[in-house]
Amino acid sequence: MAVTALVGAQWGDEGKGKIIDILAEKSDMVVRAQGGNNAGHTVVADGVTYKLHLIPSGILYKNTVCVIGNGTVVDPAVVLAEMDELAKYGVDLSRLKIDARAHVILPYHISIDELSEAARGSGDIGTTKKGIGPCYMDKAERIGIRMCDLINLSVFREKLANNVKIKNDIIVKLYGGKPVDFDRIYNDYTAYAERLAKYVCDTSVLVYDAIKAGKNVLFEGAQGALLDLDVGTYPYVTSSHPVSGGFCIGAGVGPTLIKDCIGIAKAYTTRVGKGPFPTELDDEIGDRIRNLGAEFGTTTGRPRRCGWLDAVILRFAVRVNGLTGIALNKLDTLTGLKTLKICVGYKKNGAELRDFPSDISELEGCEPVYEEFEGWTEDITSAKSVKDLPKAAMNYLKAVEKLIDCPVKMVGVGPDRTQNLEMR
Ligand code: GDP
Ligand code: IMO
Ligand code: MG
C-alpha cells in the first residue's frame, strides 16, 4: 500500500470514512490535509457508529498515528469534543498530531458564514455554516490565527484583538449582526489551547519521516472533486482543495511521494447544498435512494439530493486526481430497482458534451444521455466476494469501469467495515 491518497470522487459523502477505516488497519499513519468539520465521515465498527468530523478515520486502530495537517482549518471546541467522545470508547488520543500551521476557526468565522449565507438569500451556497470559508479567507488575507499562534498567549491576544475589531465591523456594519466578545473568546480559546498544546507540532516532518522509513501512509480526503475550490462547480464549492493535489500543499509533502490515488464514489450520485446536479432525480426513485441509502447529512442532517450515477463526473474525477482506482460504495442501495441508468454524456443543442464543463453556466439546457442496465433483486449485503454478486450487479460494475476508464478496486455492499468486497 505504501503511500495512498483517498479522495471523494463526487460531491462528498461517498463513504470515504468507511474505506479509510478499512485501509487504516494496515496503515501506520492517516493524514487529513484540507477542510475542517464541514466533513462528516462515518465509520461503523463492531456495532458502533462513529461520526468523525476532523479526527482522521484511522484513530480507531491502536497503532495508527493520526495527523491533522497544515492545510486544514481547526475548530478547537469541535476537535476537543470529538476527542472526549472517542476517549469514552477507550481510544488512545496520544497518537493525534495537529500541525502548528493549521488555521483556527473562531466564533467570528462561524458568525460571518451564517450572516453572509443569509444575506445571499435564495442565491446562497448552502454551506455547512461551520466557518470554513471565512477561515480560509483570513488565511488568504494573511490575518489568520494558526495553531502555533493559539498556543502562544501573547501572540494570540494581539492577533485576536486585531481580528475581533475588523470582524465586528463586518458583522455589525455590513450585516447588522451581533458583535463577538473579545474577553469571552480569549478565555474560552486559551483554555482550549492549554488542552491542545501537547498535540501541536510540525506534521510535515512526521509525514515525510514516515514515508522515508517505508511506513504505510494514507491520506484521507474530505469533501469531493466537484467541491474543489479551483476545479469544482464554482461558486457551489468548498474553500479548500479536496483533489489529490491538495494533499501536497495541505500535508506539506511533494507530489512524487504519493503513489496511488483511489477515488471513492457511490454507485449513484448525491449532493448536499446548492448547485448544479445534472442527474438529480426529483421523483420516487430519488426518494427511494434517499430512504434506503439513509442519505441525510452527517454534519448538518440535511436531506441529500440523489440521482443516477454520472460517468461524466467520474471521468472528471479520474482526470483531476490522477485516480489509479475507484472504490464504489452503496451498491446495495440500488438493489430492487428494475432498471438502472448511468449518464454517459450531456446533450446540448443537438451536440454531445463528453467532459464536465469548466463553467457551470454551460450546464444550463444540458440533458443527461443515459445508458440503461438491468437491475437485480437479490440481497447483496452479506456477499463475501464479488463472486457472490448477481450477474446484473457485475455487469453494472464492468460498465462503470469501461465508461470511466479506471478499475473498480473495491465494492461496498453495506456500511460496516466488513461489507466491502475486493474487486481485484
Ligand atoms: P464520507 O463523508 O465520504 O465519509 O461519507 P459519509 O459518512 O458522510 O456518508 C456515507 C454514508 O454511507 C455513511 O452513513 C456510511 O455509513 C454509509 N455507507 C458507506 N458505505 C456504504 C455501503 O457500501 N452501503 C451502505 N448501505 N452504506 C454505506
Ligand atoms: P465530507 O468530507 C458533502 C458542501 C456544503 C456546501 C459546500 C460549501 O463529509 O464528504 P462549506 O461549509 O464547506 O463552506 O460548504 O460544500 N460540503 C460538503 N458536502 N460532504 C462534505 O464533506 C462537505 N463539506 C462541505 O454542503 O454545498
Ligand atoms: Mg460526509
Side-chain angles (χ1 to χ4, degrees), residues 12-14 16 38-42 298-299 304:
D13 302 325
E14 300 92 345
K16 296 177 291 293
N38 47 350
H41 298 175
T42 315
T298 313
T299 299
R304 294 176 183 147

Side-chain angles (χ1 to χ4, degrees), residues 37-258:
N37 61 305
N38 47 350
H41 298 175
T42 315
V43 175
V44 184
D46 305 322
V48 182
T49 299
Y50 302 87
K51 291 185 187 296
L52 300 162
H53 298 283
L54 204 53
I55 296 182
S57 306
I59 198 73
L60 301 180
Y61 294 102
K62 285 196 170 62
N63 299 314
T64 313
V65 175
C66 286
V67 169
I68 298 178
N70 57 272
T72 60
V73 285
V74 177
D75 184 326
V78 170
V79 81
L80 284 165
E82 213 163 294
M83 288 164 72
D84 290 343
E85 186 64 24
L86 287 165
K88 282 191 210 155
Y89 291 100
V91 174
D92 159 33
L93 290 149
S94 65
R95 297 168 287 117
L96 181 67
K97 311 288 168 195
I98 305 174
D99 196 87
R101 288 160 293 208
H103 281 247
V104 179
I105 297 178
L106 287 130
Y108 48 76
H109 293 132
I110 298 168
S111 176
I112 291 173
D113 200 354
E114 287 165 355
L115 291 164
S116 60
E117 277 284 88
R120 287 185 195 109
S122 61
D124 64 337
I125 292 162
T127 75
T128 58
K129 300 198 176 84
K130 304 290 182 193
I132 307 295
C135 186
Y136 278 116
M137 282 165 71
D138 279 5
K139 176 176 177 173
E141 202 182 351
R142 290 149 295 174
I143 59 164
I145 295 178
R146 300 170 301 165
M147 288 303 294
C148 55
D149 304 323
L150 177 70
I151 61 174
N152 183 331
L153 288 193
S154 57
V155 173
F156 179 55
R157 178 174 264 283
E158 193 187 329
K159 289 197 171 193
L160 182 69
N162 192 39
N163 283 0
V164 163
K165 212 162 136 281
I166 299 169
K167 302 301 173 182
N168 273 343
D169 271 354
I170 295 172
I171 290 170
V172 177
K173 293 184 189 158
L174 188 62
Y175 294 119
K178 214 169 135 248
V180 296
D181 180 62
F182 171 85
D183 288 328
R184 185 154 179 203
I185 300 176
Y186 184 76
N187 290 337
D188 288 350
Y189 278 64
T190 46
Y192 301 148
E194 205 172 313
R195 284 190 65 196
L196 287 174
K198 66 177 179 199
Y199 302 96
V200 178
C201 61
D202 184 343
T203 62
S204 164
V205 174
L206 292 184
V207 176
Y208 185 76
D209 287 350
I211 295 174
K212 281 291 173 194
K215 302 248 170 96
N216 285 334
V217 177
L218 207 56
F219 289 95
E220 170 170 353
Q223 290 83 49
L226 286 138
L227 288 171
D228 186 275
L229 179 61
D230 260 68
V231 294
T233 47
Y234 193 89
Y236 300 100
V237 293
T238 190
S239 303
S240 69
H241 295 291
V243 296
S244 58
F247 291 122
C248 296
I249 293 166
V253 297
T256 50
L257 297 175
I258 299 174

Side-chain angles (χ1 to χ4, degrees), residues 9 28 43 54 105 141 161 165 189 193 200 234 244 258 271 324 330 337 359 371 374 392 403-404 412 418:
D28 302 292
V43 175
L54 204 53
I105 297 178
E141 202 182 351
K165 212 162 136 281
Y189 278 64
V200 178
Y234 193 89
S244 58
I258 299 174
R271 161 162 222 177
T324 53
K330 300 195 117 167
L337 286 168
D359 174 1
E371 267 184 32
E374 198 187 323
L403 285 167
I404 67 171
T418 57

Side-chain angles (χ1 to χ4, degrees), residues 357-378:
S358 50
D359 174 1
I360 58 166
S361 69
E362 283 180 46
L363 284 171
E364 274 160 36
C366 271
E367 282 292 320
V369 179
Y370 288 112
E371 267 184 32
E372 296 196 354
F373 300 86
E374 198 187 323
W376 60 91
T377 52
E378 298 89 330

